[in-house]
Amino acid sequence: LEALSWRDKPEDSFNGDEEEVVTEPESRGIRNNSPFNILLETSLEDPSGSRVFAYHGTTGVDKVKVENGKYKYRYYSMFDNIDNGLRAGASVLRSDPYNGKTLETIIKRFSSTDQESYVDFVAKKLNIDPSVPIHTAKDDAKLEELMKAMLEFESTAKALEDISDEQIRNAIERSKQTLPDSKYYTGK
C-alpha cells in the first residue's frame, strides 16, 4: 500500500445553495492516522532486501519525495485508526532512546526538521527547561503532557480537538502491552 502525499491540496465542494465551500486539507498525520508523523526506518532504499516496519495497526506508508537531505524519500507510517497511531507514538516515546533523556534530546531524535522551533514550542507548553530529563516510561502524567504538546506541533492544534485526553491516556496504557503487530513489508 502506498499513499501519495500530494493530496495536501484543498478540494473544492459545493453545498445545496451552490455556494463554494473550501475544505482545509488534513495534516499528513491525521490523514494517515499517525498524528506523530512516525517515519519508517530510513534504510528502505538499501538494495540488500526487504525491510519491515511493525506497529499494531500499520497499514502502509505515505511516500514523500524530499528535495534535500540524506534520503530521496521519507516514508511516513499509516495506521488503520487514530488510536493505533497514538499507541505507536506512545511506544516510541517510552522506548529506551527517549526515556530519561532531556526534552531537547527527545525532540531532536524524534524530528529532523525545524528542531529548534519544536524544542522551544514543547518546552513552553510544558513550562520546563529543555535540558531537564523526562522519564517517559515511568511518569505517565508527564508523558501525556509531552504527547499533547508534540501532537499540537506535529498535527496542528485543530487536530487535537478530535483527540481526547482519554484517547491519549489509553494509548499510553496500550503502549505498555504487547499487541500483535501488523507487518508491512516494503519489498526489494
Side-chain angles (χ1 to χ4, degrees), residues 4-59:
L4 299 178
S5 62
W6 16 106
R7 294 180 288 168
D8 289 339
K9 184 178 175 187
E11 296 179 13
D12 295 335
S13 62
F14 297 93
N15 66 19
D17 297 327
E18 298 300 318
E19 292 178 23
E20 183 177 355
V21 177
V22 178
T23 59
E24 290 294 319
E26 293 179 311
S27 70
R28 174 179 293 110
I30 298 304
R31 183 180 62 241
N32 292 338
N33 288 321
S34 180
F36 289 98
N37 290 308
I38 295 174
L39 285 171
L40 236 54
E41 294 302 319
T42 51
S43 59
L44 290 171
E45 295 184 60
D46 184 340
S48 65
S50 182
R51 299 286 184 237
V52 178
F53 183 67
Y55 280 109
H56 184 73
T58 302
T59 60

Side-chain angles (χ1 to χ4, degrees), residues 7 16 60 73 76 99 105 119 132 140 163 172 176 181:
R7 294 180 288 168
Y73 295 98
Y76 293 90
N99 182 43
T105 301
V119 170
V132 171
D140 289 355
I163 298 172
I172 292 168
K176 299 173 188 177
D181 286 325

Side-chain angles (χ1 to χ4, degrees), residues 56-178:
H56 184 73
T58 302
T59 60
V61 296
D62 188 353
K63 181 179 177 182
V64 179
K65 187 172 184 166
V66 292
E67 298 300 320
N68 298 326
K70 185 176 176 182
Y71 302 102
K72 187 175 179 180
Y73 295 98
R74 297 196 114 183
Y75 298 84
Y76 293 90
S77 58
M78 299 170 70
F79 293 93
D80 57 356
N81 62 57
I82 198 81
D83 292 318
N84 283 330
L86 287 168
R87 178 192 179 268
S91 295
V92 168
L93 292 170
R94 291 184 73 247
S95 67
D96 287 341
Y98 298 90
N99 182 43
K101 305 300 189 286
T102 66
L103 174 63
E104 184 172 26
T105 301
I106 289 170
I107 298 301
K108 287 186 175 183
R109 179 170 177 85
F110 195 86
S111 176
S112 62
T113 59
D114 206 12
Q115 293 175 332
E116 296 305 320
S117 296
Y118 201 158
V119 170
D120 290 344
F121 179 85
V122 174
K124 286 177 185 165
K125 285 285 184 180
L126 298 180
N127 196 27
I128 64 170
D129 184 297
S131 63
V132 171
I134 299 175
H135 296 281
T136 54
K138 296 178 183 176
D139 188 344
D140 289 355
K142 187 57 78 178
L143 177 57
E144 181 180 347
E145 288 179 49
L146 176 64
M147 288 176 67
K148 287 178 186 177
M150 290 177 71
L151 284 168
E152 187 173 344
F153 192 88
E154 288 282 338
S155 294
T156 75
K158 184 178 180 335
L160 278 179
E161 294 172 8
D162 297 328
I163 298 172
S164 71
D165 291 348
E166 182 179 352
Q167 283 178 290
I168 294 171
R169 285 190 292 273
N170 286 340
I172 292 168
E173 284 306 310
R174 290 177 65 228
S175 73
K176 299 173 188 177
Q177 304 167 2
T178 301

